[in-house]
Amino acid sequence: MTDSQRPDEIAHRLVTNVGSPVRVYLDDGQATIPVEPCRGVSPATTTVPLEYFDAVIENALIEDGGLTLFCMDGLHLPESEWCRSGLDRHWRDGDADLEDPFFPPQRKLEVWASREDALYDADEPYGFSHLDGIPDDSPIFTEWVANASDEYPDRPPVPFDRPTVSVRAVRAEGVTDVQGFDRVDVGQIARIELLDELSEQPSAPDIEPRDVDFSPPSRHPEIDYDEIDPLPQSNELLEAVFTINRHAKRLDEEADTAYQRGDGAEARVCSLRKRALYRTKTVALHRFSKSDPDAIRVVGHELNGDHELLCFYVGTYSYHQPIAAVNPNLLAATTGSDDLSEIKFGAIDFESSAETGDLDMSLSQAIGVLRDHGIEPNDYLDATQVEDFTWGSVISTTFAER
């Protein structure tokens, strides 16, 4: 049976030997390993005999004012040790996504320990035998001294929990949100021995991640002007487009408000829906032009001295559009030329309204009118759902059917 070191001694050895090779002995001489990739729930595991493994310490810190030992991906194992321990078993599963560019496989383990629970339960007088033999300049002491409140002594009065080693299982193909279920506790550290060298140095797996297009989605819809169908410039359709435009402005403000209060998921939902409505408006304007370009007047506006926009006057309504959103063929059809230099831009002071209470048509009614003419706002969403990591839920972004 392996002789055990005190948890604080283990923590000291880890944080003061970053970059060094070590032999890590496990409690009870056994390890828990995943035997399958994470499929959104905790993967199946098995227990195997494993007295120790060899690794290089790549990251180890005393954090939270001396309360926490945290080694994020701190122990890097050579390939031979990874295989000897059985930690490679979940990689060999048929649907393990080893080419995931966002969560690539790595032969690293995390170490974590805390003294917070012990501190909460402890009563004076404190004992300090858990710190015997640890030098005064150890981060075990310096982090505590720099942050401890007056109610506690100048040394950690309680020991760390025994440090736990964990591994993050690779994900199965198609799995995106694992909500922490990919983490598997391998075991607890009994002791750590420093080594002069390893027979094999750790390295990244020789696996090429698949190519991913990281370019952001276009802000504006791609429109083939020659192929789009005409859209009648009826009062009902013009009002429907005006209505979704007003609601897009409302959603813009609601996204800002949600972001300010720290509700990132709701902010993302509002932003996605806003962008989809603006794109819907752009498509409708191009189709209005195909119906009767001569009935549309185009004016250039320099908004608040900062932004140049094109304003389309259709019937009794007007709609602004970013220049980049306007197909040159639309410009040519409505003005006689696709040359922007022929349009004079006049400065205006304009503050768009996000008020929707005075509209005669609701958002769902407006979307229904557009759907009746083959325009579907859901087609212009960048994502149909948003994950709320705070509550572990999924929020739909789609506009409901009537």
Side-chain angles (χ1 to χ4, degrees):
M1 178 181 248
T2 301
D3 293 334
S4 293
Q5 295 167 338
R6 287 170 284 112
D8 283 81
E9 182 181 356
I10 293 171
H12 170 74
R13 291 197 175 200
L14 285 168
V15 298
T16 58
N17 288 283
V18 172
S20 301
V22 290
R23 178 160 290 175
V24 179
Y25 289 88
L26 296 177
D27 242 3
D28 299 327
Q30 59 185 18
T32 300
I33 61 171
V35 294
E36 64 178 5
C38 180
R39 297 185 173 92
V41 296
S42 297
T45 63
T46 190
T47 301
V48 299
L50 186 65
E51 182 183 5
Y52 68 85
F53 61 83
D54 295 340
V56 170
I57 304 172
E58 290 195 348
N59 180 33
L61 296 168
I62 303 296
E63 298 188 328
D64 300 328
L67 289 174
T68 305
L69 163 69
F70 186 42
C71 312
M72 183 176 181
D73 298 332
L75 298 177
H76 196 172
L77 280 66
E79 181 179 7
S80 58
E81 284 292 272
W82 192 254
C83 296
R84 182 183 70 84
S85 65
L87 286 163
D88 67 328
R89 285 183 59 174
H90 67 290
W91 289 22
R92 292 187 267 118
D93 190 278
D95 66 347
D97 190 1
L98 301 182
E99 297 180 355
D100 189 328
F102 303 105
F103 303 96
Q106 54 181 357
R107 304 182 189 99
K108 296 183 180 183
L109 301 177
E110 182 178 291
V111 180
W112 186 87
S114 173
R115 60 173 103 248
E116 190 167 5
D117 288 343
L119 187 65
Y120 179 79
D121 295 333
D123 295 317
E124 296 187 74
Y126 301 119
F128 297 95
S129 60
H130 58 281
L131 301 172
D132 289 348
I134 297 177
D136 292 340
D137 61 351
S138 170
I140 297 287
F141 292 119
T142 58
E143 287 299 312
W144 177 269
V145 170
N147 296 276
S149 63
D150 293 338
E151 65 179 298
Y152 293 117
D154 60 0
R155 292 180 294 166
V158 294
F160 278 119
D161 300 328
R162 185 154 293 281
T164 297
V165 180
S166 61
V167 63
R168 292 199 177 273
V170 295
R171 304 181 178 202
E173 292 181 6
V175 174
T176 56
D177 179 22
V178 298
Q179 300 184 38
F181 288 112
D182 56 340
R183 178 175 173 172
V184 174
D185 288 343
V186 174
Q188 294 183 322
I189 299 178
R191 67 182 290 112
I192 285 182
E193 291 183 359
L194 297 177
L195 302 177
D196 292 331
E197 60 181 2
L198 298 181
S199 59
E200 177 190 350
Q201 290 301 307
S203 60
D206 186 18
I207 298 172
E208 190 71 26
R210 62 179 173 274
D211 292 332
V212 174
D213 183 5
F214 290 100
S215 59
S218 173
R219 293 182 59 190
H220 312 295
E222 295 184 7
I223 297 174
D224 186 340
Y225 190 78
D226 293 332
E227 295 297 325
I228 59 174
D229 294 326
L231 188 66
Q233 297 175 16
S234 66
N235 286 333
E236 183 184 45
L237 279 164
L238 292 172
E239 184 179 356
V241 175
F242 180 83
T243 299
I244 67 168
N245 187 58
R246 184 71 66 84
H247 278 277
K249 295 170 186 175
R250 170 185 61 80
L251 288 165
D252 190 26
E253 291 190 357
E254 290 182 3
D256 287 340
T257 301
Y259 180 80
Q260 292 298 324
R261 69 171 180 263
D263 191 344
E266 183 63 26
R268 172 77 170 146
V269 169
C270 291
S271 182
L272 288 166
R273 289 164 65 91
K274 171 203 72 175
R275 193 175 299 125
L277 291 181
Y278 277 139
R279 290 170 176 168
T280 302
K281 166 190 166 184
T282 296
V283 171
L285 284 175
H286 282 74
R287 290 183 58 182
F288 282 149
S289 171
K290 284 294 290 286
S291 173
D292 188 358
D294 294 334
I296 298 177
R297 182 167 63 94
V298 182
V299 175
H301 285 164
E302 189 179 85
L303 186 60
N304 301 323
D306 293 326
H307 305 292
E308 288 187 343
L309 299 171
L310 293 174
C311 186
F312 292 80
Y313 291 88
V314 191
T316 59
Y317 294 90
S318 62
Y319 313 95
H320 280 103
Q321 283 284 275
I323 293 174
V326 178
N327 187 291
N329 290 336
L330 165 60
L331 202 59
T334 53
T335 68
S337 172
D338 61 4
D339 187 354
L340 280 171
S341 65
E342 297 184 10
I343 296 178
K344 182 179 180 181
F345 285 81
I348 64 168
D349 291 323
F350 177 73
E351 186 172 342
S352 59
S353 173
E355 177 59 47
T356 59
D358 59 348
L359 296 174
D360 293 331
M361 189 179 288
S362 69
L363 177 60
S364 61
Q365 288 173 329
I367 290 175
V369 169
L370 293 170
R371 283 172 172 160
D372 288 342
H373 291 79
I375 299 178
E376 174 54 71
N378 287 332
D379 290 344
Y380 305 107
L381 287 165
D382 288 327
T384 58
Q385 62 184 31
V386 168
E387 296 169 358
D388 188 333
F389 296 102
T390 301
W391 300 103
S393 59
V394 174
I395 306 173
S396 173
T397 64
T398 57
F399 300 97
E401 299 286 344
R402 284 189 294 182

